[in-house]
Amino acid sequence: SSGETKGIFTPKFEDYQKVYNEVAKLLEEKDDYDDGSYGPVLVRLAWHASGTFDKETGTGGSNGATMRFAPEGDHGANAGLKAARDFLEPVKEKFPWISYSDLWILSGVCAIQEMQGPTIPYRPGRVDKEVAACTPDGRLPDASQGNKHLRDIFYRMGFNDQEIVALSGAHALGRCHTDRSGFDGPWTFSPTVVTNEYYNLLLKEKWTWKKWNGPKQYEDKTSKSLMMLPTDMALISDKSFKPWVEKYAKDNDLFFKDFSAVITKLFELGVPFAESSEKYTFKPTNA
Ligand code: CCH
């Protein structure tokens, strides 16, 4: 049971499961957003909180939740993520003991699992930091670039080529918004369900440049309603990335296994967990 020792509340697994259940409940209730779910934008918040990590200096990462502050919240890459932060504000009010940093990552885990994705093990222990810990702009990937840029960005966090491809499968989810990134449209026909469809579409569709006034992006020849970013297409033009796209397109179980492992790694970059910290596995509400 939850321990209340001398006025210091020490949350336990079941307390975090309560936070999980609350996020899951709100995801279910607030279905009047985008494609019917805040799930994708919660995943993006957790990723952008974590993806600032620099392994050389140990700065950035999910420990700190510094995107709460203007310098980082206003970085172009973070446009639109206020929707996710605002969505979580009532959860923070109901469970004030959880740090924003732990809450954002727990919500990403919850969103993935509730959107029928793989189980993502979770460890709490992140501590919110002050504005001085904001990371400089430019640490997150720029969608208009190619394979060299992807490697520069993701190697800096400590990932390899296989992990870059596995992480990119998150683009099965959600969409681009012209008023956020400037790009437009979803990657798949099921943007609120975790699947390996992103890889299948990359390989099987014919992708051509979209004719429009917006930033350069691809559209599928068949329906003209799906999109790929230049960085997405880099995964099939690069000799080392492409075999992983092929593997994940063929084998959804392999994708789920590798995606779970790599997103757990992403969410824990730079977090100084206590040696005794346990990994929690939350029960999905639909299981
Ligand atoms: Fe992403 N992503 N992402 N992405 N992303 C966008 C949306 C989502 C890049 C660019 C964009 C990852 C990797 C990359 C999600 C998860 C991940 C958008 C549209 C752009 C642009 C934003 C908008 O307009 O709202 C680039 C470049 C990379 C390079 O690799 C990784 C890694 C992850 C997670 C593991 C999710 C989810 C979305 C949908 C958000 C939404 O609001 O629907």
Side-chain angles (χ1 to χ4, degrees):
S1 63
S2 3
E4 189 108 28
T5 319
K6 291 176 190 160
I8 301 162
F9 176 58
T10 315
K12 299 222 166 44
F13 169 69
E14 62 257 37
D15 298 299
Y16 290 99
Q17 178 75 58
K18 279 182 197 156
V19 180
Y20 178 103
N21 293 349
E22 182 70 16
V23 175
K25 192 186 87 177
L26 289 176
L27 278 174
E28 179 102 3
E29 285 173 7
K30 300 195 174 187
D31 61 356
D32 189 17
Y33 171 81
D34 262 7
D35 301 290
S37 175
Y38 274 90
V41 80
L42 290 186
V43 174
R44 190 161 201 247
L45 175 65
W47 137 238
H48 279 204
S50 311
T52 54
F53 185 65
D54 172 29
K55 68 175 186 196
E56 295 305 323
T57 57
T59 56
S62 65
N63 190 41
T66 44
M67 204 200 298
R68 287 170 295 144
F69 304 113
E72 196 172 326
D74 289 348
H75 290 168
N78 292 329
L81 292 178
K82 191 175 182 297
R85 296 195 299 274
D86 289 351
F87 172 92
L88 293 172
E89 210 39 51
V91 184
K92 173 70 175 163
E93 272 163 38
K94 193 159 175 180
F95 303 97
W97 49 265
I98 195 169
S99 66
Y100 280 101
S101 341
D102 270 345
L103 176 61
W104 290 357
I105 299 306
L106 193 159
S107 303
V109 167
C110 176
I112 290 166
Q113 294 193 172
E114 294 297 307
M115 292 189 289
Q116 300 168 50
T119 303
I120 313 293
Y122 172 82
R123 281 197 286 179
R126 297 165 190 78
V127 180
D128 295 338
K129 293 184 186 165
E130 291 310 316
V131 62
C134 281
T135 46
D137 201 357
R139 288 203 177 177
L140 291 161
D142 169 358
S144 69
Q145 300 205 42
N147 52 0
K148 181 185 180 294
H149 174 72
L150 282 181
R151 288 196 172 91
D152 288 345
I153 294 283
F154 284 94
Y155 287 6
R156 187 208 68 227
M157 295 176 220
F159 292 112
N160 63 30
D161 289 355
Q162 171 264 321
E163 292 173 313
I164 293 172
V165 178
L167 276 172
S168 303
H171 282 172
L173 299 170
R175 59 169 55 247
C176 296
H177 305 78
T178 49
D179 59 341
R180 295 178 182 180
S181 59
F183 298 98
D184 188 33
W187 290 265
T188 68
F189 291 111
S190 51
T192 64
V193 186
V194 182
T195 65
N196 63 343
E197 266 306 284
Y198 169 80
Y199 304 108
N200 276 310
L201 286 159
L202 264 176
L203 294 172
K204 289 180 187 150
E205 263 306 330
K206 272 218 158 55
W207 296 97
T208 52
W209 289 113
K210 180 182 171 76
K211 294 193 182 65
W212 76 326
N213 288 327
K216 283 186 123 185
Q217 67 174 68
Y218 294 84
E219 73 180 5
D220 70 302
K221 223 180 163 189
T222 313
S223 76
K224 295 190 183 296
S225 61
L226 300 178
M227 68 95 57
M228 289 289 167
L229 301 163
T231 42
D232 295 312
M233 294 301 282
L235 301 185
I236 52 169
S237 63
D238 183 280
K239 279 198 184 75
S240 163
F241 290 143
K242 192 175 179 192
W244 291 105
V245 175
E246 289 167 340
K247 283 192 180 74
Y248 296 138
K250 273 202 203 96
D251 188 345
N252 192 58
D253 291 344
L254 179 69
F255 167 56
F256 268 33
K257 181 179 139 287
D258 287 1
F259 182 69
S260 174
V262 75
I263 204 137
T264 303
K265 177 173 167 181
L266 172 73
F267 288 170
E268 299 199 340
L269 292 174
V271 185
F273 294 108
E275 282 214 9
S276 60
S277 75
E278 289 172 68
K279 285 212 175 177
Y280 297 150
T281 304
F282 297 117
K283 211 170 142 282
T285 62
N286 51 8

